Amino acid sequence: QVRLVESGGGLVQAGGSLRLSCAASGRTFNGYTMGWFRQAPGKEREFVAAIWGTGGITNYADSVKGRFTISRDSAKNTVYLQMDSLKPEDTAVYYCAADVRVLTLTGVGYWGQGTQVTVSS
């Protein structure tokens, strides 16, 4: 019954911005590490960003550092990903991840259904 629902994806031109949201239900993830992964067609799902449940510590993939910002609102059980200066190579389905133990696919406890982000040249 745990659900992670992503929203905010869409089509944007290079250099534009999008804000993704991930609303969790069925369980409170306070104290758990949350994150975002993405997967382009024909490619392996890859880590994008993570935020620790305590301390506000964050981690980012090198490819998005300085452009993406992950944040969370514990009261709303929601995680966000602010994406600025988007590039065509950012095009992918973005997945919300909950209970991230290790920044790999097998280290994720729960996955959302994904939201499509398309960046045109």
Side-chain angles (χ1 to χ4, degrees):
Q1 61 185 25
V2 173
R3 294 186 64 204
L4 302 176
V5 181
E6 301 97 334
S7 62
L11 175 64
V12 64
Q13 291 189 335
S17 299
L18 286 174
R19 180 180 172 85
L20 305 183
S21 298
C22 172
S25 62
R27 180 179 178 179
T28 297
F29 289 98
N30 292 337
Y32 290 85
T33 298
M34 306 289 287
W36 291 90
F37 289 71
R38 67 186 182 186
Q39 186 170 22
K43 294 186 177 181
E44 181 181 339
R45 191 173 300 186
E46 64 179 2
F47 166 75
V48 175
I51 183 167
W52 264 238
T54 59
I57 299 173
T58 58
N59 281 278
Y60 297 93
D62 289 340
S63 60
V64 305
K65 286 182 179 178
R67 300 188 298 118
F68 291 10
T69 303
I70 187 171
S71 61
R72 67 191 300 166
D73 186 336
S74 296
K76 296 182 178 180
N77 211 21
T78 300
V79 181
Y80 306 94
L81 184 67
Q82 178 66 43
M83 305 185 293
D84 298 319
S85 301
L86 283 163
K87 304 175 180 180
E89 50 263 46
D90 293 319
T91 296
V93 175
Y94 284 71
Y95 296 90
C96 180
D99 191 13
V100 179
R101 308 297 185 91
V102 184
L103 304 182
T104 62
L105 300 184
T106 56
V108 175
Y110 303 92
W111 293 101
Q113 294 300 308
T115 185
Q116 177 71 48
V117 171
T118 302
V119 184
S120 62
S121 300

